[in-house]
Amino acid sequence: LKGLSPTAPTVITIDDFHSDFFKETKSTSEIDAKRKDLEEYSMNLLKKYAKSPNVHILPGMDHLHIGGSVLKAMELIELLHPTVKYVYYIQHDFEFF
């Protein structure tokens, strides 16, 4: 991100599937494939940022929604980076201005 300090703490949250996904999906093979894709995505992020001390990957074991994911990230920031005063939040499925 332009203007963001390279030392700024960055938290990437990964939310689990919403319960509606399981209701709408009939095929267990489709569910298994989506779970495998999510696991692969999570592992790729972990590997990419493993040596970056300011980047934290927080996978969700439950679907926490946006609020739960933000709260989880804020708790981690408070624990590891207590001097942080401001948060810059980006959501992948919201329009970015």
Side-chain angles (χ1 to χ4, degrees):
L1 296 171
K2 286 185 177 181
L4 186 65
S5 168
T7 62
T10 301
V11 180
I12 300 172
T13 62
I14 305 167
D15 209 0
D16 196 10
F17 298 104
H18 192 279
S19 59
D20 288 347
F21 169 77
F22 299 105
K23 293 175 189 173
E24 296 167 0
T25 306
K26 306 288 185 204
S27 164
T28 56
S29 62
E30 185 180 353
I31 291 171
D32 290 344
K34 292 287 188 186
R35 286 223 177 267
K36 183 180 176 202
D37 289 346
L38 183 60
E39 179 66 18
E40 182 179 351
Y41 173 76
S42 300
M43 289 306 299
N44 287 340
L45 282 171
L46 287 166
K47 289 174 189 174
K48 180 174 182 166
Y49 295 109
K51 294 182 180 180
S52 300
N54 62 316
V55 179
H56 311 284
I57 311 299
L58 286 179
M61 303 310 290
D62 294 312
H63 182 66
L64 300 176
H65 303 275
I66 294 167
S69 292
V70 170
L71 179 62
K72 193 174 179 181
M74 295 298 291
E75 288 171 351
L76 183 74
I77 290 170
E78 184 177 38
L79 177 68
L80 299 178
H81 307 279
T83 60
V84 168
K85 294 182 182 180
Y86 304 99
V87 174
Y88 189 68
Y89 180 79
I90 300 172
Q91 173 71 23
H92 73 92
D93 53 358
F94 288 161
E95 189 172 351
F96 184 69
F97 296 97

